[in-house]
Amino acid sequence: MIIDFHTHTFPDTLAGRAIPKLEKSASIRAFTDGTVNGLIQSMRESNIALSVILPVVTNPVKADEINEFAAETNRCHDQVFSFGGIHPDTENYRDVLKRVQGLGLKGIKLHPEYQYTDFDDIRYLRIIDYAEELGLITVVHAGFDVSFPGSRHSHTEKILNVLEKVHPQRMVLAHMGGYNMWEDVKKYIAGSDVYLDTAFSFGEKQIAGLLDEHSFIDLARTHGMKKILFATDSPWGEQREMAEFVQTCALTEQEKEDVLYKNASRLLNLS
């Protein structure tokens, strides 16, 4: 069994415009067409049982609309489970988070780069703190982003400020704790009480500088294998390739099971 904890899709009417635009801004190509059905087809080809979809709210007034669409996605599909989203400029953030909980969504996605806000901004701190109170998981983009060269909204020191001020228990730092900042992750974040997902952090992709097998295993074990979540960032990571990377690397069988599905199953409280 495999659970992919970090994927993205768009409504069918939007995917055809969004994917080419994002491919151009990041200088990478997508491995699916960006739709839910495209993701499910990729899952079938990769033997992935469940994918978590993480919507990014780039307009604060669209949060409720996006979360309603996420709930509808969950009602229509058994193979995927969408989280909700929220923007730091959302004024009624408590009401929005309560609705996320009421819709049965298990968590939210934050993206400091696409939301143009430092991760340790007080608006994020309030959202994370209340999400914790409601029992929601918070997944946040961590580290650099290929679409925003040089931007530091999710840099290590900002992550550390959040961990110090909020002490989250259900936070997932994407991209193994910080895309292309993995030495800092190992030095300052590894071992802390957060989860790391593997999205867009290893594999034979068109982006240089990803973790090789030895570096991935070293960072994962330093942090703790019970807190590593398999994730691909589909459509930007190829699900089959990334699953095979974990399945064939030099982890123990128990470690592979933990990463591929047991840790995610426990965090999502799946039966």
Side-chain angles (χ1 to χ4, degrees):
M1 181 178 179
I2 303 175
I3 297 174
D4 186 343
F5 210 89
H6 185 144
T7 69
H8 301 285
T9 63
F10 302 90
D12 292 356
T13 56
L14 178 60
R17 301 192 305 274
I19 291 296
K21 181 179 178 180
L22 292 168
E23 286 180 320
K24 183 177 180 179
S25 69
S27 298
I28 57 175
R29 68 181 179 90
F31 290 99
T32 78
D33 64 2
T35 66
V36 172
N37 287 333
L39 173 62
I40 291 173
Q41 178 61 34
S42 172
M43 292 168 60
R44 292 194 187 106
E45 295 169 356
S46 310
N47 293 317
I48 290 175
L50 178 69
S51 286
V52 176
I53 298 173
L54 302 175
V56 178
V57 179
T58 56
N59 183 337
V61 302
K62 295 286 188 179
D64 285 336
E65 177 183 333
I66 289 170
N67 293 331
E68 291 286 350
F69 183 80
E72 179 64 19
T73 298
N74 295 343
R75 286 190 288 268
C76 294
H77 301 280
D78 295 330
Q79 305 99 317
V80 299
F81 187 87
S82 183
F83 276 22
I86 192 170
H87 193 281
D89 287 335
T90 301
E91 294 182 0
N92 57 333
Y93 74 94
R94 284 177 172 261
D95 292 336
V96 171
L97 290 174
K98 283 181 181 178
R99 282 196 286 273
V100 166
Q101 183 192 48
L103 289 168
L105 309 177
K106 292 179 180 287
I108 55 170
K109 171 67 184 291
L110 303 176
H111 202 306
E113 302 303 335
Y114 278 96
Q115 294 173 332
Y116 300 97
T117 305
D118 286 342
F119 185 44
D120 56 356
D121 187 284
I122 185 60
R123 291 167 292 174
Y124 274 140
L125 297 179
R126 290 168 178 165
I127 288 170
I128 296 165
D129 187 56
Y130 194 56
E132 285 281 326
E133 185 178 330
L134 295 176
L136 297 172
I137 301 164
T138 299
V139 182
V140 60
H141 170 86
F144 294 111
D145 189 292
V146 292
S147 293
F148 299 88
S151 181
R152 298 170 67 92
H153 289 308
S154 311
H155 202 267
T156 305
E157 72 265 15
K158 301 186 187 302
I159 294 171
L160 291 172
N161 285 340
V162 172
L163 300 186
E164 179 181 353
K165 293 175 180 178
V166 182
H167 305 290
Q169 301 298 303
R170 298 177 182 86
M171 177 172 287
V172 179
L173 300 178
H175 314 299
M176 286 300 289
Y179 175 75
N180 213 13
M181 298 182 352
W182 292 298
E183 286 301 319
D184 282 351
V185 173
K186 182 179 177 182
K187 184 175 181 180
Y188 299 111
I189 295 175
S192 59
D193 196 17
V194 295
Y195 290 83
L196 310 183
D197 83 28
T198 68
F200 212 86
S201 58
F202 55 65
E204 300 297 328
K205 299 185 187 65
Q206 62 269 46
I207 299 294
L210 298 178
L211 292 166
D212 59 23
E213 179 180 337
H214 171 78
S215 299
F216 163 67
I217 292 174
D218 181 49
L219 178 54
R221 285 177 173 164
T222 300
H223 183 63
M225 298 302 301
K226 298 292 185 182
K227 295 180 288 183
I228 306 295
L229 305 169
F230 175 74
T232 67
D233 211 3
S234 176
W236 312 115
E238 188 176 22
Q239 288 186 311
R240 178 187 293 178
E241 177 203 352
M242 297 192 74
E244 289 178 352
F245 182 98
V246 175
Q247 290 168 324
T248 60
C249 74
L251 293 172
T252 68
E253 290 305 310
Q254 180 61 58
E255 288 173 331
K256 291 177 184 179
E257 289 180 0
D258 286 339
V259 172
L260 289 172
Y261 73 93
K262 285 188 175 179
N263 297 338
S265 181
R266 184 175 62 252
L267 181 58
L268 292 168
N269 195 27
L270 301 179
S271 57

